[in-house]
Amino acid sequence: MVMWPRLGLPSLHMHDAGQGFRTTERSIIGTVTSFPCALAAAATWDAPLVERYAAAIGREFKTKGANVLLGPGVDVARTMANGRTAESLAGESPTLGAVLGAAYVRGLHSSGIACTAKHFAAYTQETNRGLEGSGFVYSVDAAERTMFEVYYAPVEGMIAEGLAGVMCSYNAINGVPSCAR
């Protein structure tokens, strides 16, 4: 399906998440692969393996009609209160996140699927993450150097490989909502 025929731009068919196609329709139940969580992939420290993992995920997304994957997560684990640590290719290491994030982008793009990194940046916990109407959003307060060395590094590695997009985090950073930065 072409969204803008005059320009030849395809429609965006985005789908979550970075560990496999989310089953949202009854007709595809039982037809999707449940890949190992991203943290398990990160624990391998094996960039070529992560590239093959992402390529396999990309092939499945393509067969299901998606062309943009909302993931992977590259949040650096800083607290046990983060309920999304298992979704992260970074684990506790920004350097590992940069290397494996880049490999994931290469693998996914080899399947013709656009990659979106999440959650940018400093997404360290799920509690009070800024749910609509809650009136409270937690703020990660960190020096600029910390932001670059810890939280930005994985996304920078992915950008170097041609990352298609970035999804902002739910939290504020130094008091400013991340999507407003």
Side-chain angles (χ1 to χ4, degrees):
M1 180 174 166
V2 178
M3 183 175 186
W4 301 99
R6 177 176 62 83
L7 301 175
L9 296 175
S11 297
L12 296 179
H13 298 278
M14 297 180 272
H15 205 78
D16 227 357
Q19 297 161 189
F21 197 84
R22 182 178 291 172
T23 307
T24 56
E25 296 177 30
R26 209 177 234 326
S27 64
I28 64 169
I29 292 174
T31 69
V32 297
T33 306
S34 179
F35 289 89
C37 73
L39 190 59
T44 69
W45 291 48
D46 187 337
L49 179 62
V50 169
E51 189 171 337
R52 291 193 309 272
Y53 163 80
I57 291 169
R59 286 190 298 273
E60 181 156 322
F61 270 62
K62 191 168 197 151
T63 64
K64 301 284 191 251
N67 60 8
V68 178
L69 186 150
L70 300 174
V74 287
D75 306 310
V76 177
R78 303 287 286 171
T79 175
M80 293 305 295
N82 187 351
R84 297 209 171 171
T85 298
E87 295 179 15
S88 177
L89 278 173
E92 296 177 0
S93 170
T95 303
L96 182 65
V99 171
L100 297 184
Y104 193 99
V105 170
R106 284 191 304 275
L108 198 63
H109 286 183
S110 75
S111 300
I113 304 296
C115 186
T116 306
K118 62 183 190 183
H119 301 93
F120 190 72
Y123 191 44
T124 60
Q125 69 180 38
E126 287 278 282
T127 306
N128 296 321
R129 67 179 195 168
L131 299 175
E132 194 171 323
S134 69
F136 179 78
V137 175
Y138 79 93
S139 180
V140 174
D141 299 325
E144 186 174 350
R145 179 176 178 176
T146 302
M147 294 303 295
F148 275 93
E149 291 180 2
V150 177
Y151 298 112
Y152 297 163
V155 177
E156 287 178 325
M158 297 172 80
I159 289 169
E161 288 298 326
L163 180 67
V166 177
M167 181 188 301
C168 55
S169 57
Y170 298 98
N171 55 279
I173 301 167
N174 295 324
V176 178
S178 66
C179 289
R181 297 181 65 77

